PDB file of all heavy atoms in Angstrom:
ATOM      1  N   ALA A 135      35.152 -33.414  39.881  1.00  0.00           N
ATOM      2  CA  ALA A 135      35.319 -33.774  41.288  1.00  0.00           C
ATOM      3  C   ALA A 135      36.496 -34.713  41.433  1.00  0.00           C
ATOM      4  O   ALA A 135      36.840 -35.423  40.505  1.00  0.00           O
ATOM      5  CB  ALA A 135      34.054 -34.446  41.831  1.00  0.00           C
ATOM      6  N   GLY A 182      34.715 -54.541  48.059  1.00  0.00           N
ATOM      7  CA  GLY A 182      34.425 -53.319  47.315  1.00  0.00           C
ATOM      8  C   GLY A 182      33.154 -53.367  46.510  1.00  0.00           C
ATOM      9  O   GLY A 182      32.785 -52.375  45.899  1.00  0.00           O
ATOM     10  N   ALA A 189      39.850 -57.101  33.246  1.00  0.00           N
ATOM     11  CA  ALA A 189      40.603 -55.853  33.400  1.00  0.00           C
ATOM     12  C   ALA A 189      41.984 -55.886  32.757  1.00  0.00           C
ATOM     13  O   ALA A 189      42.575 -54.831  32.511  1.00  0.00           O
ATOM     14  CB  ALA A 189      40.719 -55.503  34.876  1.00  0.00           C
ATOM     15  N   LYS A 194      47.040 -51.403  28.586  1.00  0.00           N
ATOM     16  CA  LYS A 194      47.633 -50.425  27.674  1.00  0.00           C
ATOM     17  C   LYS A 194      46.737 -49.198  27.463  1.00  0.00           C
ATOM     18  O   LYS A 194      47.215 -48.067  27.624  1.00  0.00           O
ATOM     19  CB  LYS A 194      47.971 -51.086  26.344  1.00  0.00           C
ATOM     20  CG  LYS A 194      49.139 -52.068  26.433  1.00  0.00           C
ATOM     21  CD  LYS A 194      49.517 -52.606  25.063  1.00  0.00           C
ATOM     22  CE  LYS A 194      50.718 -53.531  25.170  1.00  0.00           C
ATOM     23  NZ  LYS A 194      51.117 -54.069  23.823  1.00  0.00           N
ATOM     24  N   PRO A 197      45.568 -47.744  31.810  1.00  0.00           N
ATOM     25  CA  PRO A 197      46.316 -48.415  32.873  1.00  0.00           C
ATOM     26  C   PRO A 197      45.694 -48.269  34.258  1.00  0.00           C
ATOM     27  O   PRO A 197      45.841 -49.157  35.102  1.00  0.00           O
ATOM     28  CB  PRO A 197      47.689 -47.725  32.818  1.00  0.00           C
ATOM     29  CG  PRO A 197      47.793 -47.200  31.424  1.00  0.00           C
ATOM     30  CD  PRO A 197      46.405 -46.804  31.038  1.00  0.00           C
ATOM     31  N   LEU A 223      39.190 -46.922  41.961  1.00  0.00           N
ATOM     32  CA  LEU A 223      40.102 -46.537  40.887  1.00  0.00           C
ATOM     33  C   LEU A 223      39.502 -45.447  40.011  1.00  0.00           C
ATOM     34  O   LEU A 223      40.215 -44.601  39.471  1.00  0.00           O
ATOM     35  CB  LEU A 223      40.424 -47.763  40.018  1.00  0.00           C
ATOM     36  CG  LEU A 223      41.039 -48.967  40.740  1.00  0.00           C
ATOM     37  CD1 LEU A 223      41.136 -50.150  39.785  1.00  0.00           C
ATOM     38  CD2 LEU A 223      42.403 -48.599  41.303  1.00  0.00           C
ATOM     39  N   PHE A 226      32.076 -42.808  38.368  1.00  0.00           N
ATOM     40  CA  PHE A 226      31.270 -42.294  37.270  1.00  0.00           C
ATOM     41  C   PHE A 226      29.951 -41.744  37.812  1.00  0.00           C
ATOM     42  O   PHE A 226      29.361 -42.304  38.738  1.00  0.00           O
ATOM     43  CB  PHE A 226      30.962 -43.401  36.258  1.00  0.00           C
ATOM     44  CG  PHE A 226      32.172 -43.976  35.571  1.00  0.00           C
ATOM     45  CD1 PHE A 226      32.911 -44.983  36.184  1.00  0.00           C
ATOM     46  CD2 PHE A 226      32.584 -43.508  34.338  1.00  0.00           C
ATOM     47  CE1 PHE A 226      34.028 -45.527  35.561  1.00  0.00           C
ATOM     48  CE2 PHE A 226      33.700 -44.037  33.708  1.00  0.00           C
ATOM     49  CZ  PHE A 226      34.419 -45.050  34.322  1.00  0.00           C
ATOM     50  N   PRO A 233      24.987 -41.160  29.200  1.00  0.00           N
ATOM     51  CA  PRO A 233      25.833 -42.266  29.649  1.00  0.00           C
ATOM     52  C   PRO A 233      26.519 -41.927  30.978  1.00  0.00           C
ATOM     53  O   PRO A 233      26.528 -40.783  31.414  1.00  0.00           O
ATOM     54  CB  PRO A 233      26.872 -42.393  28.522  1.00  0.00           C
ATOM     55  CG  PRO A 233      26.338 -41.603  27.376  1.00  0.00           C
ATOM     56  CD  PRO A 233      25.499 -40.530  27.983  1.00  0.00           C
ATOM     57  N   ALA A 258      34.765 -34.678  15.468  1.00  0.00           N
ATOM     58  CA  ALA A 258      35.746 -34.629  14.389  1.00  0.00           C
ATOM     59  C   ALA A 258      35.633 -35.814  13.440  1.00  0.00           C
ATOM     60  O   ALA A 258      35.681 -35.657  12.216  1.00  0.00           O
ATOM     61  CB  ALA A 258      37.157 -34.559  14.963  1.00  0.00           C
ATOM     62  N   ALA A 261      32.095 -35.867  11.390  1.00  0.00           N
ATOM     63  CA  ALA A 261      31.821 -34.791  10.433  1.00  0.00           C
ATOM     64  C   ALA A 261      31.900 -35.314   8.998  1.00  0.00           C
ATOM     65  O   ALA A 261      32.709 -36.186   8.688  1.00  0.00           O
ATOM     66  CB  ALA A 261      32.804 -33.647  10.642  1.00  0.00           C
ATOM     67  N   ALA A 289      28.131 -27.990  17.485  1.00  0.00           N
ATOM     68  CA  ALA A 289      28.481 -28.134  16.076  1.00  0.00           C
ATOM     69  C   ALA A 289      27.284 -27.869  15.165  1.00  0.00           C
ATOM     70  O   ALA A 289      26.144 -28.180  15.510  1.00  0.00           O
ATOM     71  CB  ALA A 289      29.037 -29.528  15.819  1.00  0.00           C
ATOM     72  N   SER A 292      23.882 -28.981   8.146  1.00  0.00           N
ATOM     73  CA  SER A 292      23.056 -28.384   7.097  1.00  0.00           C
ATOM     74  C   SER A 292      22.378 -29.475   6.275  1.00  0.00           C
ATOM     75  O   SER A 292      23.059 -30.295   5.647  1.00  0.00           O
ATOM     76  CB  SER A 292      23.915 -27.500   6.176  1.00  0.00           C
ATOM     77  OG  SER A 292      25.013 -28.222   5.664  1.00  0.00           O
ATOM     78  N   ALA A 299       9.285 -33.927   4.025  1.00  0.00           N
ATOM     79  CA  ALA A 299       8.645 -32.969   4.924  1.00  0.00           C
ATOM     80  C   ALA A 299       8.887 -33.308   6.392  1.00  0.00           C
ATOM     81  O   ALA A 299       9.094 -32.407   7.217  1.00  0.00           O
ATOM     82  CB  ALA A 299       7.144 -32.916   4.646  1.00  0.00           C
ATOM     83  N   LYS A 305      13.635 -28.207  10.929  1.00  0.00           N
ATOM     84  CA  LYS A 305      14.555 -27.063  10.819  1.00  0.00           C
ATOM     85  C   LYS A 305      15.897 -27.363  11.507  1.00  0.00           C
ATOM     86  O   LYS A 305      16.415 -26.566  12.285  1.00  0.00           O
ATOM     87  CB  LYS A 305      13.922 -25.808  11.416  1.00  0.00           C
ATOM     88  CG  LYS A 305      12.609 -25.414  10.744  1.00  0.00           C
ATOM     89  CD  LYS A 305      11.996 -24.189  11.403  1.00  0.00           C
ATOM     90  CE  LYS A 305      10.671 -23.819  10.731  1.00  0.00           C
ATOM     91  NZ  LYS A 305      10.024 -22.653  11.377  1.00  0.00           N
ATOM     92  N   TRP A 309      24.084 -30.138  15.811  1.00  0.00           N
ATOM     93  CA  TRP A 309      24.154 -31.549  16.168  1.00  0.00           C
ATOM     94  C   TRP A 309      25.218 -31.771  17.241  1.00  0.00           C
ATOM     95  O   TRP A 309      26.102 -30.924  17.430  1.00  0.00           O
ATOM     96  CB  TRP A 309      24.462 -32.413  14.949  1.00  0.00           C
ATOM     97  CG  TRP A 309      25.877 -32.295  14.432  1.00  0.00           C
ATOM     98  CD1 TRP A 309      26.410 -31.265  13.697  1.00  0.00           C
ATOM     99  CD2 TRP A 309      26.942 -33.229  14.629  1.00  0.00           C
ATOM    100  NE1 TRP A 309      27.721 -31.504  13.419  1.00  0.00           N
ATOM    101  CE2 TRP A 309      28.084 -32.694  13.980  1.00  0.00           C
ATOM    102  CE3 TRP A 309      27.039 -34.446  15.280  1.00  0.00           C
ATOM    103  CZ2 TRP A 309      29.315 -33.358  13.967  1.00  0.00           C
ATOM    104  CZ3 TRP A 309      28.263 -35.110  15.271  1.00  0.00           C
ATOM    105  CH2 TRP A 309      29.378 -34.559  14.605  1.00  0.00           C
ATOM    106  N   GLY A 313      28.722 -40.228  23.839  1.00  0.00           N
ATOM    107  CA  GLY A 313      28.748 -41.681  23.920  1.00  0.00           C
ATOM    108  C   GLY A 313      28.453 -42.278  22.550  1.00  0.00           C
ATOM    109  O   GLY A 313      29.038 -41.898  21.540  1.00  0.00           O
ATOM    110  N   LEU A 319      19.568 -30.993  16.287  1.00  0.00           N
ATOM    111  CA  LEU A 319      18.734 -30.005  16.955  1.00  0.00           C
ATOM    112  C   LEU A 319      18.184 -28.998  15.958  1.00  0.00           C
ATOM    113  O   LEU A 319      18.901 -28.515  15.070  1.00  0.00           O
ATOM    114  CB  LEU A 319      19.557 -29.272  18.018  1.00  0.00           C
ATOM    115  CG  LEU A 319      20.234 -30.179  19.058  1.00  0.00           C
ATOM    116  CD1 LEU A 319      21.242 -29.388  19.875  1.00  0.00           C
ATOM    117  CD2 LEU A 319      19.191 -30.817  19.947  1.00  0.00           C
ATOM    118  N   GLY A 323      13.602 -25.670  18.552  1.00  0.00           N
ATOM    119  CA  GLY A 323      13.555 -26.513  19.738  1.00  0.00           C
ATOM    120  C   GLY A 323      13.289 -27.980  19.455  1.00  0.00           C
ATOM    121  O   GLY A 323      13.287 -28.800  20.373  1.00  0.00           O
ATOM    122  N   PHE A 328      19.615 -40.340  17.284  1.00  0.00           N
ATOM    123  CA  PHE A 328      20.013 -41.616  16.695  1.00  0.00           C
ATOM    124  C   PHE A 328      20.952 -42.353  17.647  1.00  0.00           C
ATOM    125  O   PHE A 328      21.692 -41.730  18.405  1.00  0.00           O
ATOM    126  CB  PHE A 328      20.738 -41.396  15.361  1.00  0.00           C
ATOM    127  CG  PHE A 328      19.871 -40.855  14.259  1.00  0.00           C
ATOM    128  CD1 PHE A 328      19.673 -39.499  14.115  1.00  0.00           C
ATOM    129  CD2 PHE A 328      19.254 -41.717  13.358  1.00  0.00           C
ATOM    130  CE1 PHE A 328      18.872 -38.992  13.097  1.00  0.00           C
ATOM    131  CE2 PHE A 328      18.457 -41.230  12.332  1.00  0.00           C
ATOM    132  CZ  PHE A 328      18.263 -39.862  12.201  1.00  0.00           C
ATOM    133  N   LYS A 331      25.079 -48.132  15.693  1.00  0.00           N
ATOM    134  CA  LYS A 331      25.055 -49.573  15.501  1.00  0.00           C
ATOM    135  C   LYS A 331      26.495 -50.086  15.425  1.00  0.00           C
ATOM    136  O   LYS A 331      27.426 -49.304  15.183  1.00  0.00           O
ATOM    137  CB  LYS A 331      24.292 -49.917  14.215  1.00  0.00           C
ATOM    138  CG  LYS A 331      22.834 -49.459  14.231  1.00  0.00           C
ATOM    139  CD  LYS A 331      22.192 -49.606  12.862  1.00  0.00           C
ATOM    140  CE  LYS A 331      22.152 -51.039  12.396  1.00  0.00           C
ATOM    141  NZ  LYS A 331      21.490 -51.171  11.070  1.00  0.00           N
ATOM    142  N   GLY A 334      28.862 -48.846  12.642  1.00  0.00           N
ATOM    143  CA  GLY A 334      29.178 -47.432  12.523  1.00  0.00           C
ATOM    144  C   GLY A 334      28.062 -46.582  11.965  1.00  0.00           C
ATOM    145  O   GLY A 334      28.168 -45.357  11.953  1.00  0.00           O
TER     146      GLY A 334
END
Side-chain angles (χ1 to χ4, degrees):
K194 290 185 178 180
L223 302 173
F226 297 84
S292 54
K305 301 178 181 178
W309 72 284
L319 305 168
F328 292 86
K331 299 170 62 179

